[in-house]
Structures are given as structure tokens and as C-alpha cells.
Amino acid sequence: MAKIVGGINVTHVPYIGRAIANNLQQDEYWKPFFDGFPPIHDWLAKVKPDVAVVIYNDHGLNFFLDKMPTFSVGAAPEYQNADEGWGIPTLPPYKGDLDLSWHMIESLIEAEFDITTCQEMLVDHAFTLPLELLWPNQKQCPMRTVPVCVNTVQFPLPTAARCFNFGRAIGKAIESWESDARVVVIGTGGLSHQLDGQRAGFINKEFDLMFMEKLVNDPLWVTRYSVPDLVELTGTQGVELLNWLTMRGTLPGDVSLIHSNYHIPISNTAAGLMAMAAE
Amino acid sequence: MSTTRQKRVIPGTTIFDGDQARKGYALNKMCFSFNSADNRAEFLKDKEGYCAKFHLTPEQTEAVLSLNVLKMIAAGGNAYFLAKLGGIFGLDMQDIGAQQTGMTKEAFKAKLVEAGKN
Ligand SMILES: [Fe+2]
């Protein structure tokens, strides 16, 4: 059976794409962010995953508001990035893993998560940039990938508990896949930030740090908050932390923290990063 | 045009719910079209005509032409889609944040840095 080696949560601000394209990793502004990654690169080199399941939210590249699935899973041989309208470079395509995609789809529906399946799917910065950050300086990302998209755009959003349970079902699906593949799960977005309204620029360091701490050994802690509570506590886009929680749900048994980093600000965002190994 | 459920009020914050999604559909659809470079160019050639093509309301058209982000949100615009419109004018998130909070860009950036201290 396939093995989940662990999970990584990372922020996905579009602006990071420009920093990578312009080699700004060691600039004063970017250094505290990019310096979070080498310990995680080392861990990845040790655990050697073959496949990355990436849990993220689309920002109006693949999905418009005409059809907005709460949860969707990619089932394409390849995933293309494309122009999102603000001039960050378009990245080369990502390999899919059709066997895992369809195994996950079957297993999730069996577990009563009625996901939308996507045999064509454009992947936006929330999918591409975390992979760029985790496997830098490659012509093409070395992982086979399965995109899992969570609606954090149009309310109502799935509750925190629902996201955690969705993650658990994804984890069970991966672990029941007849394959010797090693799988890493990545959750992207957050942490606290708000782009819109008079409260634009809102950041909540205290909450973010508590969330990161609890995510390791007490991930259900955050399920005490409703989605509107989470908007109030973390900002209108801070709710992307639901992707982090979904990732955490996939990890079986106890986990150990490999490395974490937290830096304010990248663009308008509190940038978080953490890697956890599955036992 | 609103749901009967009581809404959570968070100061300075608009939750993009069903009411907003209904109100803002045309505006957000226009912004979605800006994923294409050709459409961005077409918009810049005739902004008002482009708004009309997407059947924006007068309120939405006025908000777009004056590039007033708070008015666009009031008219149902969603932040992720409005960001594509902002991108056409080379506005980054600090420009947009400064405009909405009535701060200078420098003051807005300083506020973000401040949030990292303590
Ligand atoms: Fe995002």
C-alpha cells in the first residue's frame, strides 16, 4: 500500500512568483521567508516522496462562480498553469497520477464525500507556487501530483470539522491505494490576511501562532470556531487555513514537527510554513 | 434580494456570500475575463463599452471606471476577481489596501510590518 510520509503547509501569495522569477530569495524583504525552506528541502530529500497531493483553493482561474464545487479532485494526466491576469510568469505543466486520482475519487465517494471530478483542470498560483518553493530550480516539478481544491471563495464554505474529516478520508484513500508510492500532502494558503474592505491589512499573529502550535497535536482545536468566527479572527482570506486543516486531517496517527517558519508580512499576508512527518 | 438568516457583522468586512454573489455576478464575470491578455487589451481600449458588454449595472460601471475598490465590493465584487482588474492598472495589494483604508501606501505598508512585531 502507498505510504504518507508527512505533510507540509505553506502560504501561496502570488507575489512569491515574481520573487522567484527575479531571484530575490536573499533580498532583505524575502530572506526571512525563503530561509524557512532549506530544512524542509532536507527532509524531503530524506523521505523521498513520489507523489504530492496538493490541497488548495482556486482564485478564479479554473473555477468561475458559475459552478463552484465545495470539494473537487483533479483526474488529468497533466495540469497546466495559465495567465491569471496580473503578470506572474506561467509555469510549466505538472504531471498527474491518474491511478491515485481515480482511487481517491472512488474512495472519497464511498466515504460519502461527493466531490466533483475534473478531467481537465487549470492550476493557479495556490498550487504552483508551493511546489516551486518546495522543489526549487527544476525544469519541471519532479512530483506526480493530484490537485484537491476546496472552496474558500464563495460562502458558505465547508466547516473546519468538515475539512478535517475530508482530510481524514483523503488520508485513508491514499493509504488504501495499492502502490508502493510515497506520498506527501501539501496544504496551501493563509495565514491571516484580508485583502478587501476597510479592514484590509488585518493580520492576527497571536491566533496564527496558536493555530500552528495546535495543528501538530490538537488539530481539532480550531473546529470550535465557525467559518464567520475564522473570518473575524484571520481575515476574509485567512480562512484559507481550512486547506491547512484538511492537510492535517490526512496524516495518520501521531505526527512530529519537522520545521516551521512564520513571517510578517509577505505582501499583505502573514506567511506560514510547517512540515510534519507521519509516524 | 437577501436571505432571511441573520448575518454576522464584522466591521470593515464583507463576507462574499450568496447575496454578494448574486449582486456581483456580472462584475465578477467581467473580471474573470481578464485572465486573457486579449480581453485586458480590449477593456483598456474602451472601458465603458467593455462594462456594457458584460451588462454591468450603472453602480458597477461607475465603480470600475473610477477604480473605487470599496464601491466595487459594495456592488458585489469579490476580492480574488477584483485583483485581476487591479492588475491591469499595475496596482498591487498594498495600493489596493491603502485605497480602501484611506492611508498612504507607505503608511499601509508600515501597518503590515507593525503587525509582525509584538
Ligand atoms: Fe489565496
Side-chain angles (χ1 to χ4, degrees):
Chain A
M1 295 296 165
K3 178 172 169 52
I4 298 176
V5 297
I8 301 167
N9 282 327
V10 57
T11 210
H12 63 218
V13 182
Y15 199 28
I16 296 166
R18 206 167 294 157
I20 294 174
N22 297 324
N23 271 311
L24 302 178
Q25 289 89 336
Q26 290 304 310
D27 268 33
E28 193 190 343
Y29 182 86
W30 289 102
K31 188 174 164 53
F33 173 71
F34 280 96
D35 281 357
F37 289 89
I40 297 179
H41 297 154
D42 293 347
W43 174 70
L44 285 169
K46 230 180 329 180
V47 295
K48 295 187 175 37
D50 310 295
V51 188
V53 171
V54 185
I55 299 163
Y56 69 107
N57 60 289
D58 180 77
H59 303 68
L61 181 66
N62 189 64
F63 293 116
F64 177 57
L65 305 170
D66 56 338
K67 303 170 193 76
M68 181 53 71
T70 299
F71 297 123
S72 50
V73 176
E78 188 177 85
Y79 301 96
Q80 306 276 348
N81 183 214
D83 188 351
E84 293 182 55
W86 45 56
I88 61 170
T90 298
L91 294 164
Y94 295 81
K95 288 185 291 258
D97 188 318
L98 286 173
D99 290 342
L100 178 56
S101 284
W102 283 103
H103 174 76
M104 279 172 54
I105 289 162
E106 282 176 23
S107 179
L108 286 169
I109 300 238
E110 180 84 27
E112 302 182 341
F113 283 92
D114 304 320
I115 39 103
T116 298
T117 66
C118 304
Q119 288 202 68
E120 289 185 46
M121 198 176 198
L122 293 173
V123 287
D124 78 357
H125 65 272
F127 176 96
T128 62
L129 293 178
L131 295 174
E132 285 291 300
L133 289 164
L134 295 170
W135 289 275
N137 307 316
Q138 313 258 350
K139 254 204 210 96
Q140 191 184 25
C141 177
M143 296 294 106
R144 307 195 301 273
T145 60
V146 177
V148 175
C149 200
V150 177
N151 168 32
T152 66
V153 175
Q154 179 177 275
F155 289 63
L157 312 184
T159 64
R162 182 68 173 162
C163 289
F164 185 80
N165 288 332
F166 181 51
R168 285 177 78 153
I170 294 169
K172 284 185 183 144
I174 295 168
E175 291 209 300
S176 64
W177 179 37
E178 282 190 46
S179 160
D180 54 11
R182 298 167 67 76
V183 180
V184 63
V185 185
I186 299 167
T188 89
L191 285 173
S192 60
H193 64 301
Q194 175 153 336
L195 305 177
D196 46 324
Q198 291 95 335
R199 204 173 71 133
F202 176 78
I203 283 176
N204 188 344
K205 182 177 177 179
E206 193 185 342
F207 182 88
D208 285 344
L209 293 176
M210 178 68 103
F211 171 70
M212 288 174 74
E213 185 192 319
K214 293 287 187 187
L215 201 58
V216 181
N217 291 320
D218 184 16
L220 290 173
W221 170 81
V222 74
T223 64
R224 72 188 59 199
Y225 297 110
S226 69
V227 168
D229 288 342
L230 291 173
V231 171
E232 182 150 35
L233 287 163
T234 70
T236 36
Q237 286 77 36
V239 283
E240 292 175 344
L241 67 80
L242 292 171
N243 302 328
W244 287 45
L245 183 64
T246 306
M247 183 293 273
R248 179 63 183 85
T250 68
L251 303 181
D254 291 338
V255 302
S256 51
L257 181 67
I258 298 298
H259 185 69
S260 71
N261 190 42
Y262 182 78
H263 173 69
I264 298 171
I266 292 300
S267 190
N268 292 13
T269 302
L273 168 67
M274 61 195 303
M276 288 171 260
E279 294 295 304
Chain B
M1 190 180 113
S2 74
T3 52
T4 50
R5 295 181 64 179
Q6 227 195 327
K7 293 207 191 211
R8 174 71 160 270
V9 176
I10 303 169
T13 301
T14 303
I15 289 186
F16 189 74
D17 60 5
D19 290 338
Q20 289 296 107
R22 287 162 67 178
K23 203 196 310 180
Y25 194 78
L27 172 58
N28 291 317
K29 188 162 180 174
M30 181 181 85
C31 291
F32 178 64
S33 80
F34 296 146
N35 282 332
S36 144
D38 288 350
N39 290 340
R40 298 196 290 270
E42 192 187 327
F43 170 77
L44 283 175
K45 251 185 265 162
D46 175 13
K47 296 184 198 115
E48 203 165 352
Y50 199 83
C51 290
K53 186 173 142 186
F54 280 84
H55 307 291
L56 265 59
T57 64
E59 181 199 7
Q60 289 170 340
T61 305
E62 198 276 313
V64 169
L65 296 179
S66 62
L67 210 57
N68 184 315
V69 179
L70 290 176
K71 283 187 183 167
M72 286 189 247
I73 293 167
N78 172 281
Y80 295 126
F81 291 94
L82 297 180
K84 298 177 194 290
L85 175 66
I88 295 180
F89 297 97
L91 300 180
D92 64 26
M93 280 302 159
Q94 292 75 55
D95 293 309
I96 291 175
Q99 188 200 97
Q100 294 177 98
T101 53
M103 301 168 93
T104 64
K105 187 173 184 181
E106 286 319 306
F108 185 78
K109 286 166 94 167
K111 176 179 119 124
L112 293 168
V113 170
E114 198 55 42
K117 298 177 180 162
N118 70 57

